[in-house]
Amino acid sequence: MKSGYRTKIVGKWHLGHREQFLPLQHGFQEWFGAPNCHFQYNVTWRQGPNIPVYNNSLIIGRYYEDIKIDRGLGLSNYTQIMVEQALEYINRDTEEPYFLYWAPDSTHAPSYSSKKYLHSSIRDSYYGDAVREIDGGIGQILKAAKKDKSRDTLVVFTSDNGAALVSKDLAGSNGPLLCGKQTTFEGGFRVPTISWWAHGGPRGVSSEAGSHMDLLQTIAHMVGYNLPSSIVLDGRSILPILKNNSKLEDHPVFYYRGNLLYAMRLGAYKVHWYTWTTPPYELDKGIDFCPGVYMPNITTTHIQKQEPPLMYNLYRDPGEKYPIPNKYKEYRANIQLLEDTASKHKSELVPGKPVLEMCDQAVMNWSPPGCEAINRCLKPPPSKPYTCYWPH
């Protein structure tokens, strides 16, 4: 906004559902969407109020009640509504530059699509139908963005995590990458990022490693905005890659679970100090984040400290199937730099105040702003804070 851009988010916001954490308090001028995925509450083990859907600062209804999703049929018009929201925003009669963040969630279980796409995918699954509908929606959004030739528009397509293999054949595929969502293997973290720029830009594939944390600095760099020096940020601008497909200096990517640094990538090399796979009590329930993979003491143990650390060359072995033996020259030539980089990173960390340690049923989405007007307010239970349990 400070650089003259109007801003809107359409879709999922997953950075807190209480009023002070919502998008309009964090840089967005407009919002249409929900502060979580479309989980259905009051079914099986999940108790509480269904997730609200907002139009700016007020809710317009709740998933399953007002925003219909038929789990049994895999049917909902919600993605089409989000496409319409995006198109209306792009097509407004104004010369102001804009930033639009479009975040559909229909591929998150339970998957859904509209009638036009239902049973249309070759894989004959609700997930495949949802992917086809998102693809169609992106096509409409790109067409609208390209229509105004005077705008130098950049479009970035990416995902928040690898495929949730726990959903078996009803989820996506991570191809050759090891394991899936929830793990710190490449199948959990590595996702495609595709950019299209109206001015042409270079075509091709970059082998540079980056993270979503690079996008803020990159966009600020593009629009000529100097981010406050008082804010410590983990990313960097990757504008030279987008402009010229330039090679940048190797930049570490850190793989955390909670407060523990499990792994790190620097250039071609990735080191694992810890590995994590499905806990035994979840395997007993049929839950598996590394299905069909058996690598002793790597994918077979819940939490395993690796001594010596595991090292992979991801250019040769993106599937992390062949750890470099620690007696090899390649291992000895690189391990110290990886260890020193991680040590420097950890020495500079300033502990933040934990925000996910305490849970309280009373602060769920019982009475979001605007619920009175549509008769969707619910009475919260008494406040009883307790230590959260996060099984994953």
Side-chain angles (χ1 to χ4, degrees), residues 91-129:
N91 290 328
R92 286 184 190 172
D93 186 16
T94 173
E95 294 184 0
E96 280 183 298
Y98 63 85
F99 175 81
L100 172 66
Y101 173 43
W102 193 71
D105 73 345
S106 59
T107 50
H108 191 296
S111 296
Y112 61 81
S113 63
S114 61
K115 283 185 179 179
K116 178 181 177 181
Y117 289 94
L118 195 62
H119 303 303
S120 68
S121 62
I122 193 170
R123 64 186 291 167
D124 191 27
S125 72
Y126 297 155
Y127 178 88
D129 300 340

Side-chain angles (χ1 to χ4, degrees), residues 86-87 89-92 98 100 135 137-156 194-200 203:
L87 296 179
Y89 190 68
I90 292 170
N91 290 328
R92 286 184 190 172
Y98 63 85
L100 172 66
D135 181 59
I138 291 170
Q140 292 181 67
I141 291 169
L142 273 172
K143 185 177 180 180
K146 291 178 177 180
K147 189 168 62 175
D148 187 344
K149 304 292 186 184
S150 66
R151 293 186 183 274
D152 189 16
T153 306
L154 172 68
V155 179
V156 178
I194 304 167
S195 66
W196 171 86
W197 207 336
H199 79 243
R203 293 180 178 270

